[in-house]
């Protein structure tokens, strides 16, 4: 049983009952969810003419908690009946899905993982020069940019 703040007897919040999650469910499905967080079967027909909703989770690593309930809830949104939702997660941990969210595959909502290589020092230096070139004055000498690029890469 949950208290008035949506927490169980141990004080742990049930994120599936948060008003923000319910509002997001309604947004992507076009219909309110029932008390168990499920949308009605008629949602597919009702949502057919609704626009797609893209949920961008930047710094997704920051949502990792004790049981990952919020991440499972968010990744489950596209599987709800009538959902018009796409989840895009950005994380620094390259194996976040495999290590932190192993039950996604069993739930039918395993994401496609797209890895991007980090910039090397030369790419960073070119990028910095390009961005700083628009300023009306010199901010760094080339040696300074090279040092910064080496430190970051």
């Amino acid at each position: 049983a949950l208290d008035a703040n949506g927490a169980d007897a141990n004080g742990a919040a049930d994120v599936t009952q948060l008003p923000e999650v319910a509002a997001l469910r309604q947004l992507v499905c076009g219909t309110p969810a029932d008390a168990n967080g499920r949308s009605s079967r008629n949602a597919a027909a009702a949502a057919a003419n609704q626009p797609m909703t893209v949920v961008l989770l930047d710094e997704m690593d920051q949502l990792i908690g004790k049981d990952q309930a919020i991440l499972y809830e968010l990744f489950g949104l596209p599987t709800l009946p009538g959902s018009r939702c796409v989840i895009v997660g950005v994380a620094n941990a390259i194996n976040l899905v495999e290590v932190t969210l192993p039950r996604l595959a069993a739930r039918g909502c395993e994401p496609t993982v797209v890895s991007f290589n980090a910039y090397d020092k030369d790419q960073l230096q070119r990028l910095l020069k390009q961005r700083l070139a628009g300023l009306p004055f010199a901010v760094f000498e080339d040696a300074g940019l090279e040092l910064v690029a080496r430190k970051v890469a």
Side-chain angles (χ1 to χ4, degrees):
L2 301 177
D3 66 16
N5 296 319
D8 64 16
N10 296 322
D14 179 1
V15 296
T16 63
Q17 301 304 314
L18 292 174
E20 295 85 356
V21 174
L24 191 54
R25 267 193 224 104
Q26 184 169 357
L27 176 69
V28 301
C29 296
T31 184
D34 68 17
N36 295 319
R38 295 182 302 250
S39 296
S40 72
R41 293 283 177 212
N42 298 329
N49 294 326
Q50 296 295 321
M52 290 295 290
T53 299
V54 176
V55 178
L56 177 62
L57 302 173
D58 193 12
E59 297 293 337
M60 196 171 70
D61 324 63
Q62 300 300 313
L63 294 175
I64 296 172
K66 190 170 118 180
D67 62 359
Q68 279 48 277
I70 190 68
L71 287 172
Y72 281 110
E73 182 71 23
L74 290 169
F75 276 102
L77 289 173
T79 66
L80 294 174
S83 178
R84 305 276 299 151
C85 176
V86 175
I87 303 290
V88 177
V90 179
N92 293 322
I94 206 161
N95 60 351
L96 181 121
V97 172
E98 296 84 17
V99 172
T100 310
L101 304 168
R103 297 187 312 259
L104 285 178
R107 294 179 179 193
C109 51
E110 183 174 22
T112 300
V113 176
V114 179
S115 298
F116 294 93
N117 294 328
Y119 291 119
D120 65 27
K121 66 174 179 57
D122 296 327
Q123 291 171 319
L124 282 171
Q125 190 171 0
R126 280 194 305 273
L127 180 64
L128 289 169
K129 280 183 179 182
Q130 178 187 18
R131 299 287 170 89
L132 294 172
L135 296 175
F137 49 86
V139 179
F140 292 101
E141 294 180 14
D142 285 345
L145 286 179
E146 183 178 348
L147 179 64
V148 168
R150 285 178 190 263
K151 285 271 199 194
V152 173

